Each structure stands twice: as C-alpha cells, then as structure tokens.
Amino acid sequence: MKRSAWIITAVLVVVAVVASWFFGLDNRHGAALVGAAVAAGVANGLLESVEVPRATLAPLPEHPRGLADIQSLEFSFSSAEPGTRAVLEVHALAAALLAAHPGAPAGPALRAFAGRPPPASPDHRTLQAFVHELDHMMQALQEEIQ
C-alpha cells in the first residue's frame, strides 16, 4: 500500500476511536468499529493500486446559439461594466475565428486577447473595440468567400 493509503487508514481509525468514545460504545462494539475502519482503509489502499481502464464520457455537443444567448450577451454589453459572460463569449469567438483563419487581419491586441486563457475583464471600450474588429474580420472573410 502507498503512504497515502496508510494515512487514510490511520485517519479512519482515529475517527472510529473518537466515535466509539463519543457514543459511549462498549469495548466489543468499539473494537468492531475500529476493525471496520482498518478494513475500509486497507480495502481503499488495495483498490487505489488497481489500474482499471475507466470509461470516459463523450464530450457534450456544442450548444446552439439562440435568441436568448444573443439577448443575454447584449444585456451584458449594455451594462456599465462588461459582464463575465460577455468577456468569455468574445474571447471564445476571437479564439475560434483566429484558429480557423490564422491569416485573418487582426490587430496585436486582439491576437494577445485570444491567445491567452480567458482573461480578467477588460474595460468596456476595449471589449467593444474587439467586437468591432471581429465584425470587420468576419465581413472581410465573407467578401473573400464570395
């Protein structure tokens, strides 16, 4: 057994001893409780060392964007400070657009914004500038396609 399994076993035994004392169990019942704690700790240690392939869940399907999402995003943009949802949505859109079209004309600030993990909330003007830049990029890409 690993060291962590022995520590868990010791903690279970201590909890069993304290429970025996707290509930006023007689010696035989207290010993049975401590024995059960030792057995549970040893079983935990043995099961911890077993390597079993575990099933992984399939990723959830992409949530279709609907009118409620657009209204929520507009509400977040219209507030005094941009909401977390607005920042995360703009970040996801920018990252997806730049990943799909790496040669798209994007400014260095937008590339830095999209290239790092979801950032802390930028100010309202910066976020609006990113949205306008993304809009212009999308229009330019649509014109290229046509």
Side-chain angles (χ1 to χ4, degrees):
M1 282 192 347
K2 296 179 184 176
R3 183 172 182 244
S4 63
W6 286 111
I7 292 171
I8 290 172
T9 303
V11 168
L12 288 173
V13 168
V14 168
V15 168
V17 168
V18 170
S20 297
W21 168 78
F22 182 77
F23 292 115
L25 298 179
D26 59 78
N27 289 339
R28 290 185 2 208
H29 286 100
L33 186 61
V34 170
V38 169
V42 170
N44 175 55
L46 293 175
L47 291 175
E48 186 178 285
S49 64
V50 174
E51 291 293 327
V52 178
R54 291 180 171 87
T56 56
L57 295 175
L60 293 174
E62 182 73 23
H63 176 69
R65 304 217 184 273
L67 183 60
D69 288 330
I70 293 172
Q71 289 173 340
S72 174
L73 193 56
E74 286 176 355
F75 178 76
S76 186
F77 278 134
S78 67
S79 63
E81 291 293 322
T84 303
R85 180 180 179 137
V87 173
L88 293 176
E89 287 287 331
V90 171
H91 181 266
L93 288 171
L97 180 63
L98 291 175
H101 303 284
L110 182 62
R111 287 194 185 276
F113 176 75
R116 60 179 185 237
S121 179
D123 64 342
H124 205 63
R125 290 181 190 204
T126 305
L127 198 60
Q128 286 291 350
F130 289 157
V131 170
H132 289 302
E133 190 172 350
L134 286 171
D135 185 41
H136 291 305
M137 287 172 51
M138 287 300 296
Q139 289 176 359
L141 289 171
Q142 281 180 345
E143 288 173 4
E144 285 180 15
I145 291 173
Q146 294 174 359

